[in-house]
Amino acid sequence: QLQRVGSGGGWVQPGGSLRLSCIASGRTPDYDYIMWFRQVPGKGCDFVTGIKWKGGSQDYAGCVNGRFTNAKDKVDNTVNLNIPNPKLEDTGNYYCAGDTQVGGSGQRVWGQGILVTVTD
């Protein structure tokens, strides 16, 4: 029912900036906890951030805490992941997901992967 389409990504050098967008479409408001995951070949899929659509609860993985930020745009039904200073280790496929439970323990819907390549 609820589809989340990701946008953004691309090539960026260290010291640049990047913003990934997760756009929610549909009429089901059940997926209230929005998450970002990062998939790196050979390293699995790691949790990056989580934010509650209604309310202010936010979670950040230790490796991105203090660097990445989430921002909600309820007018456009979008969650934006801001990466102000990408590092080489931030390279990967980023996926946004909506979950029915805070913390990501419920039912989940996935958006399309967004490729981020940080290179010199």
Side-chain angles (χ1 to χ4, degrees):
Q1 290 184 287
L2 179 65
Q3 296 183 353
R4 297 188 176 273
V5 181
S7 62
W11 258 252
V12 64
Q13 293 181 325
S17 63
L18 194 63
R19 185 176 71 178
L20 310 181
S21 297
C22 180
I23 304 172
S25 63
R27 295 180 175 88
T28 303
D30 299 335
Y31 302 96
D32 192 49
Y33 188 71
I34 311 301
M35 297 172 289
W36 286 97
F37 292 85
R38 180 172 61 203
Q39 191 273 324
V40 179
K43 296 184 178 180
C45 187
D46 298 322
F47 172 83
V48 179
T49 68
I51 186 171
K52 190 177 181 181
W53 184 253
K54 298 180 180 179
S57 298
Q58 296 188 59
D59 303 290
Y60 293 91
C63 61
V64 303
N65 190 33
R67 298 196 298 117
F68 293 11
T69 59
N70 269 316
K72 294 179 291 186
D73 185 346
K74 293 190 176 182
V75 175
D76 295 328
N77 295 322
T78 301
V79 172
N80 296 313
L81 178 63
N82 296 308
I83 310 175
N85 187 23
K87 302 181 181 297
L88 294 177
E89 57 267 30
D90 294 327
T91 294
N93 285 307
Y94 286 75
Y95 297 85
C96 68
D99 201 280
T100 57
Q101 300 276 36
V102 174
S105 301
Q107 297 179 349
R108 186 178 299 175
V109 59
W110 290 88
Q112 190 172 356
I114 307 171
L115 177 62
V116 172
T117 302
V118 185
T119 179
D120 293 323

